[in-house]
Amino acid sequence: MRQASILYFCLGLLALFSGILVKAEDAYRYYTWTITHGTISPLGVPQKGILINGQFPGPTVDCVTNDNIIVNVINKLDEPFLITWNGIKQRKTTWQDGVQGTNCPIPPNSNWTYKFQTKDQIGTFNYFPSIGIHRVAGGFGGFNVQSRSVIAIPYPIPAEEFTLLIGDWYKADDKVLQQELDQGFPLPLPDALLINGLSQGATFTGEKGKTYKFRVSNVGIATAINFRIQGHTMTLVEVEGAHTIQEVYDSLDVHVGQSVTVLVTLNGSPKDYFIVASSRFTKPILNTTGILRYAGSNTPPTLPLPIGPTYQIHWSMKQARTIRLNLTANAARPNPQGSFHYGTIQVVRTVILANTAANISGKLRYAVNSISYVDPATPLKLADWFNIPGVFTLNSIKDAPTNAPAAFGTSVIGTTLHDFVEIVFQNTETTIQSWHLDGYSFYAVGYGSGVWTPDKRKKFYNLNDAVSRHTVQVYPKSWSAVLVSLDNKGMWNLRSAIWSRRYLGQQLYVRVWNNEHSIFTENDIPPNALFCGLAKHP
Ligand SMILES: *[C@@H]1O[C@H](CO)[C@@H](O)[C@H](O)[C@H]1NC(C)=O
Ligand SMILES: *[C@@H]1O[C@H](CO)[C@@H](O)[C@H](O)[C@H]1NC(C)=O
Ligand SMILES: *[C@@H]1O[C@H](CO)[C@@H](O)[C@H](O)[C@H]1NC(C)=O
Ligand SMILES: *[C@@H]1O[C@H](CO)[C@@H](O)[C@H](O)[C@H]1NC(C)=O
């Protein structure tokens, strides 16, 4: 008996050591990022931007599955600052998520070092500032995670790859826009769309006959886009970390906060071609162009621009349903993506979240199931870890829409580690929505118009090969449904990716919890954690 337990103890130690050894093999990538205000003029007029090491947009993080990413962020702004890593799952390390529910802001003139792993991930992601509406001034960048060389990817290795950060843009400074929101007004239509910080002329050069990978993220705050390349088709290969069925598209909708990866073969006559992004569902329509250049070309691109969809909702919904998981492809691990069989797992809970515009004390706010979220001074995660009472409660939001008038609150949904949950996003408004969950990918199983009812499951759900992603669009007066396996302990932000909505309350947190304190399910608080609010250094 005793010998057996010693044996088990030794085996346990061995397992722990090999765990540490495996970890040591994963590369470390170190970054030092100095955040400053500086003058930029993407639309030809000087404005105050947020720069990283003097750059706008910020530097691209290029790394490999399981790399350790160490980013020392030096805040030289005159206000608190945080960066969040959009789509990086922060497995067991909600501590590094960089939103106000998990982290104290980095004060001005100080620094804080993020340490996380791109554990079991591949794909196209991005990062951006998470406090207030900083991100309308910049501070964002690409975050690309390559497959390990030992894992086969389901397409030939492209000649080269390009990162395209496309998003809407305002001429006004973030402080001016924030004031509008604080006074209770919605933001106006953005002034333009940008590709990699340029309103036109961003150029990507390749050789005739070769195939290139385009990693496209919508880093905007309000506007869904349609993306296309004159004279060329695009083969979709990956969406937010999942390999897709390789469908060929003339144009693709990319909603706010989403990313897609496409392959483009340069099979035209050697010249320049327009790359176009145009806004969806806005009046007027915003367009921006870049250039696909065949190496050596001195023939400029010719008008007209390729046409894309503008207001058509049905077109977009139909296209969304064609984006499916390749069940036999690997993602970050050698086991195929289809081996999880999400469609056969019993749902233990259904949460229906309805967004509404609300008028609270005479000001515009947005609410989810009648609660308009406000950040407490103490990050939820710190309150949870140190059992600080009075910061949040678990019955702060209902599992279904209510008729109660909208009110301020700190909404946290309490769930149990490994729960398999259905979340239905019900859009009661006439504008398009984008919902994002930190820490996870979810299966985007269904889109439909009108009000969701349980019988929609049979009729509309894809329970076989729905794509797994971190951000889902919800069409006007429609619903979108996702299934998620809550296997990542922590406190996770569930938010509108449309940033003025998030800022005015359209967000909440999902607490994924079990009572067992174990480093196998969640890392301890990092030694460099910052403290604020009611959380004091222990
Ligand atoms: C701040 O930066 C210095 C190096 O310049 C580093 O030694 C220190 O660990 C950083 N502080 C935090 C809290 O990350
Ligand atoms: C912008 O794109 C839309 C959608 O394709 C199109 O209808 C519109 O004519 C374009 N505008 C310009 C100036 O090319
Ligand atoms: C799915 O992935 C496999 C690799 O496992 C690849 O051979 C196949 O072409 C992909 N299928 C489609 C339809 O994209
Ligand atoms: C909110 O309600 C007040 C009256 O209580 C009204 O004066 C104001 O215009 C409303 N604001 C919005 C944004 O609807």
Side-chain angles (χ1 to χ4, degrees), residues 164-417:
L164 284 77
L165 306 173
I166 308 184
D168 45 27
W169 193 258
Y170 291 90
K171 281 180 200 160
D173 288 353
D174 59 328
K175 282 290 156 287
V176 173
L177 296 171
Q178 188 168 349
Q179 236 169 44
E180 296 268 312
L181 295 173
D182 290 342
Q183 284 166 7
F185 302 106
L187 294 183
L189 187 72
D191 296 303
L193 298 177
L194 305 181
I195 302 178
N196 293 350
L198 301 172
S199 61
Q200 53 183 34
T203 302
F204 307 89
T205 305
E207 287 174 34
K208 186 175 163 64
K210 292 193 171 166
T211 298
Y212 294 84
K213 182 186 273 191
F214 285 71
R215 297 177 176 273
V216 181
S217 289
N218 184 336
V219 295
I221 65 148
T223 316
I225 59 165
N226 178 269
F227 176 77
R228 51 199 185 271
I229 303 178
Q230 191 174 42
H232 293 76
T233 57
M234 305 179 284
T235 303
L236 185 70
V237 292
E238 182 252 335
V239 166
E240 294 159 28
H243 284 130
T244 59
I245 297 283
Q246 291 167 23
E247 299 269 7
V248 176
Y249 297 90
D250 289 324
S251 79
L252 269 170
D253 280 357
V254 188
H255 297 272
V256 179
Q258 295 183 338
S259 300
V260 298
T261 306
V262 295
L263 300 182
V264 178
T265 299
L266 272 53
N267 52 9
S269 53
K271 60 186 270 297
D272 291 358
Y273 296 85
F274 280 118
I275 292 173
V276 184
S278 56
S279 60
R280 290 290 260 127
F281 323 114
T282 65
K283 228 173 197 151
I285 289 161
L286 307 170
N287 290 306
T288 182
T289 58
I291 291 169
L292 170 60
R293 171 162 297 161
Y294 281 50
S297 153
N298 40 33
T299 313
T302 45
L303 291 168
L305 298 182
I307 300 292
T310 51
Y311 308 108
Q312 300 83 346
I313 288 170
H314 191 64
W315 186 99
S316 189
M317 205 186 273
K318 254 173 80 178
Q319 183 178 73
R321 293 189 183 121
T322 67
I323 300 178
R324 292 177 298 143
L325 203 60
N326 181 333
L327 297 174
T328 62
N330 314 311
R333 285 165 170 270
N335 51 320
Q337 297 179 140
S339 57
F340 190 62
H341 299 293
Y342 70 90
T344 63
I345 301 172
Q346 183 67 40
V347 167
V348 300
R349 182 166 171 190
T350 297
V351 179
I352 306 168
L353 299 174
N355 56 283
T356 46
N359 184 341
I360 305 181
S361 322
K363 284 184 182 169
L364 172 69
R365 294 284 302 186
Y366 295 99
V368 185
N369 292 358
S370 303
I371 308 293
S372 186
Y373 184 88
V374 278
D375 277 307
T378 312
L380 305 172
K381 184 63 201 173
L382 291 180
D384 214 7
W385 190 259
F386 293 110
N387 292 313
I388 302 167
V391 177
F392 73 92
T393 61
L394 291 179
N395 51 8
S396 41
I397 180 167
K398 300 272 183 285
D399 273 13
T402 74
N403 290 323
F408 291 118
T410 297
S411 347
V412 180
I413 296 182
T415 67
T416 304
L417 186 64

